[in-house]
Amino acid sequence: MASITNPNQAILVATRHNKKESIITICWHMRTSFRPELFAISVGKKRFSYGLIKNSKCFSVNFMPFNLEKEIIYCGTHSGKNVDKFKETGLTKEECSKIDCPRIKEALGYFECKVVKKIITGDHVIFVGEVLTSKLNKKGKRLFQVEGLKFTTTLN
Ligand SMILES: Cc1cc2nc3c(=O)[nH]c(=O)nc-3n(C[C@H](O)[C@H](O)[C@H](O)COP(=O)(O)O)c2cc1C
């Protein structure tokens, strides 16, 4: 199926609950409303991040530059249950302004989201987040998943 739908942009979603933090790589995501501004992510029920988002009811969406492929792969192949992904990747933690959650400083842009709806869809759960604040820090090429750990980018 991925060979039909992809490429999809690989983004990093950061979460925190009870001082436990994680960063998860997500390719299944979409904007889903202008007013209010909503953004949805699909998270596997077995992911460590799933429990953090379910309990904290918030998450930050970090749109990463193409050159951080190694860090994006790390966050998509290791669980926050066993490792501190901020420490292991060297990504810089910033505090969100509207939610109790970390953000990633190296992101080209970000959303700070409050969960307003949870939809169970098979083995994944869609968290619909209201975007409380967003910022584009700078323009740049992004990373798109072709299949597995094969990626591509855009011309500009
Ligand atoms: C390119 C890529 C895209 C991914 N997209 C998703 C996704 O959309 N939803 C999801 O639940 N997991 C996705 N994953 C898998 C998680 O990122 C991975 O299982 C991660 O280790 C979970 O971390 P956690 O246990 O700390 O939450 C993706 C992995 C990669 C490498």
Side-chain angles (χ1 to χ4, degrees), residues 19-41:
K19 294 186 180 157
K20 282 270 187 189
E21 294 176 339
S22 196
I23 310 173
I24 179 172
T25 303
I26 294 280
C27 274
W28 292 358
H29 54 82
M30 66 172 168
R31 292 181 72 191
T32 174
S33 163
F34 283 125
R35 276 195 203 86
E37 192 88 60
L38 300 178
F39 190 80
I41 56 170

Side-chain angles (χ1 to χ4, degrees), residues 58 95-101 103 112-114 132-133:
C58 62
E95 199 52 34
C96 285
S97 62
K98 302 282 184 190
I99 52 174
D100 179 8
C101 186
R103 240 176 26 212
E112 295 185 12
C113 297
K114 177 184 88 175
L132 301 184
T133 185

Side-chain angles (χ1 to χ4, degrees), residues 10 22-28 42-44 46-50 72-73 75-81 85 124 145 148-149 151:
S22 196
I23 310 173
I24 179 172
T25 303
I26 294 280
C27 274
W28 292 358
S42 181
V43 183
K46 292 186 179 150
R47 315 286 189 233
F48 182 61
S49 303
Y50 168 74
I72 295 167
I73 290 176
C75 294
T77 52
H78 294 78
S79 180
K81 201 171 173 182
K85 298 195 206 180
H124 279 55
Q145 183 190 33
L149 296 181
F151 298 92

Side-chain angles (χ1 to χ4, degrees), residues 12-123:
L12 294 182
V13 167
T15 60
R16 175 167 62 221
H17 179 66
N18 274 351
K19 294 186 180 157
K20 282 270 187 189
E21 294 176 339
S22 196
I23 310 173
I24 179 172
T25 303
I26 294 280
C27 274
W28 292 358
H29 54 82
M30 66 172 168
R31 292 181 72 191
T32 174
S33 163
F34 283 125
R35 276 195 203 86
E37 192 88 60
L38 300 178
F39 190 80
I41 56 170
S42 181
V43 183
K45 286 178 191 166
K46 292 186 179 150
R47 315 286 189 233
F48 182 61
S49 303
Y50 168 74
L52 299 187
I53 299 171
K54 189 179 95 169
N55 290 312
S56 68
K57 299 185 177 61
C58 62
F59 57 90
S60 70
V61 183
N62 301 270
F63 296 88
M64 304 304 294
F66 176 65
N67 66 307
L68 293 184
E69 175 177 348
K70 194 162 63 76
E71 290 77 358
I72 295 167
I73 290 176
Y74 186 91
C75 294
T77 52
H78 294 78
S79 180
K81 201 171 173 182
N82 312 311
V83 294
D84 176 341
K85 298 195 206 180
F86 276 105
K87 199 169 140 222
E88 296 301 324
T89 58
L91 290 168
T92 315
K93 203 185 298 183
E94 270 187 347
E95 199 52 34
C96 285
S97 62
K98 302 282 184 190
I99 52 174
D100 179 8
C101 186
R103 240 176 26 212
I104 300 169
K105 190 174 179 202
E106 290 81 1
L108 296 170
Y110 65 82
F111 294 159
E112 295 185 12
C113 297
K114 177 184 88 175
V115 175
V116 292
K117 202 174 179 106
K118 195 180 133 188
I119 304 158
I120 298 165
T121 55
D123 52 10

